[in-house]
Amino acid sequence: MSEPDNPVHPRTLGSGSAAAASGEDGQDIAALAKGGRTNFFGFLLRLAARIPFLFIAGRLYGAEELGRFASALVVIELTALMCSMGEKRGLAQRLANSEARPANTVFDAILLATIFGTLAALFFWFVPAPMFPSGEYSLIDQMLVLAIPAYALTEIVLAAQAYRYDIATTVRARAIVEPWAISIGAGAFYFIAPEDGLSLAYILSIYAGLLTGLWPFLRTYGLPKAWTPQLRAMGKMTMRALPLATADAIEWGTRRIDIFILGLFAAPAAVGVYYVAQQVASLPQKLKTSFEPILGPVITKNLKTNNYGAIARQLCQVGFWILAAQAGIALALGIPGEAVMGLVGPNFVGGTAALAFLLMAEVVAATAVVSEAALVYMARVRNLWISIATIGFQAALTVGIMLAVEAYAWPEAYKAAGAGLALMIALGTASLVKAWLLGRLLGHRINNWRWALVYATAPAVAVGYAATFLPEWLELLIGIPAILATYGFVIWHRGFGPEDRVLFRKNIAGGEEAAEAS
């Protein structure tokens, strides 16, 4: 495979050009901050909705049923992501470079996703074994395949809205409608179809999210005009999208292949416990999505003008924001880990070690996340090979740990912890490699680390350790806010400079204030 169009060569901005670009760079930082701030509010809403779902799923359905459900979702969501043809990030570049009517460009992607999603759904309807490795499923469980085309279409319409800097639609769909629909649905369907409630609730949530995204999308773009599907052009589009689609699927798969492998080596109940730990740990991972929709348009705009210095500054800036927030949340959820897992049910406390490793994995992955945001446009094939190597390394490491646990007859809980450890090592390695590659391409170093993170972590750990001596309900009610408050106070005063605090300013639509902050 060859590299994509727009080959990139290292370039260092001169002082004059840097000064000329500073105002525009400040506007980009302001746009990133505004989009991230909007989606961070969505993260808080998603957190509020995720906890009821985990509580309902753990207490009503139990670890075994949750494990079967989790195994099916790995296949469903991975397939749907592939069917979206990488348009979650690739659509921004196609819209920026296309002279066609924007609605026509988006509907090309919608048609392809519909075709591939429908074919995939038909395949798994007749061959359901990959979704249910335990061999236990019902007719309604099979209907999960209906979510594949809807999930893929949702990715595309939300990416189209993000290109217009409309992040609020993503927040409504992903942070309000989908999580609350699955939480309410799981509770209601338990009394109607207790063995199939989770599957029905998931299908409901995916289609509710799609409708939430479609309405503003049609108002923004309208319907296509003078649009005729061109099979040859669509074939070229498919081939060009494959590296990006595969990279997206692999990046997503690194957070799911552990569940798949665990399902092969452990009982469904152990998979269910690990799934809950993963859902809790994925909360800080959602922070990257606070900036991901807006990073694409900003990066593609600067690539058109070869403004590599601005890209490096923006990625380092956003990378630190993500890293700082993820570290704080990881501390708040990890230190009282037993109480957090016990909230779902007493049978889930054994997943505390897995939760700790998964939370650390999200922290070390922050650099890879921001680096890949640019690599998918600048070196998509090399980025793809790094991603393939990462998931291969993770899979081999996970399998090795599973075999070791069985060989030494260690407790079943060690398998879940080992899967989290393998993910942490793999993502940390990927961060180092991708940051190094992007630094070479841009001619500027990519580094999100600041020593202020250590200064903020130390007192937060002390406060959290003291909170573990409280009763569990007080540990959650008082300990988590105390950890966040301590960490936040120190990181604000020791780690955040004027350019960082732009994230918390509301009136920064790209004016003078944004330029000054940059």
Side-chain angles (χ1 to χ4, degrees), residues 250 253-262 264-265 387-403 415 418-427:
I250 290 173
T254 54
R255 269 87 169 176
R256 295 297 185 274
I257 195 174
D258 43 4
I259 287 184
F260 180 76
I261 295 174
L262 198 60
L264 299 177
F265 285 89
S387 297
I388 291 174
T390 299
I391 199 169
F393 176 49
Q394 179 196 357
L397 196 57
T398 305
V399 170
I401 292 174
M402 299 297 115
L403 294 175
K415 291 182 179 178
L421 175 62
L423 176 64
M424 183 187 74
I425 295 172
L427 292 182

Side-chain angles (χ1 to χ4, degrees), residues 10-40:
R11 180 177 302 187
T12 304
L13 293 174
S15 58
S17 59
S22 61
E24 189 172 357
D25 190 14
Q27 292 177 10
D28 289 340
I29 292 291
L32 289 167
K34 183 178 180 182
R37 191 169 52 253
T38 301
N39 227 344
F40 182 76

Side-chain angles (χ1 to χ4, degrees), residues 285-343:
Q285 186 229 343
K286 299 297 182 184
L287 286 169
K288 82 179 181 69
T289 64
S290 298
F291 299 95
E292 195 174 65
I294 206 72
L295 267 175
V298 169
I299 290 172
T300 52
K301 183 185 73 173
N302 283 312
L303 281 176
K304 291 180 72 173
T305 59
N306 294 328
N307 193 355
Y308 306 131
I311 294 173
R313 287 191 295 274
Q314 290 154 11
L315 291 180
C316 289
Q317 187 78 67
V318 171
F320 173 69
W321 288 340
I322 295 174
L323 181 61
Q326 284 182 329
I329 294 172
L331 290 170
L333 295 176
I335 297 174
E338 288 190 4
V340 171
M341 295 296 291
L343 185 66

Side-chain angles (χ1 to χ4, degrees), residues 99-161:
E99 297 180 0
R101 177 180 168 84
N104 293 12
T105 301
V106 179
F107 268 82
D108 286 340
I110 286 176
L111 179 59
L112 273 178
T114 302
I115 293 172
F116 286 121
T118 302
L119 291 175
L122 287 172
F123 173 80
F124 285 114
W125 176 264
F126 291 107
V127 187
M131 294 193 300
F132 307 102
S134 66
E136 301 177 23
Y137 59 91
S138 66
L139 181 63
I140 293 181
D141 288 335
Q142 274 186 273
M143 291 175 62
L144 281 169
V145 300
L146 297 175
I148 294 176
Y151 191 106
L153 291 179
T154 305
E155 291 289 298
I156 292 172
V157 297
L158 294 181
Q161 289 301 104

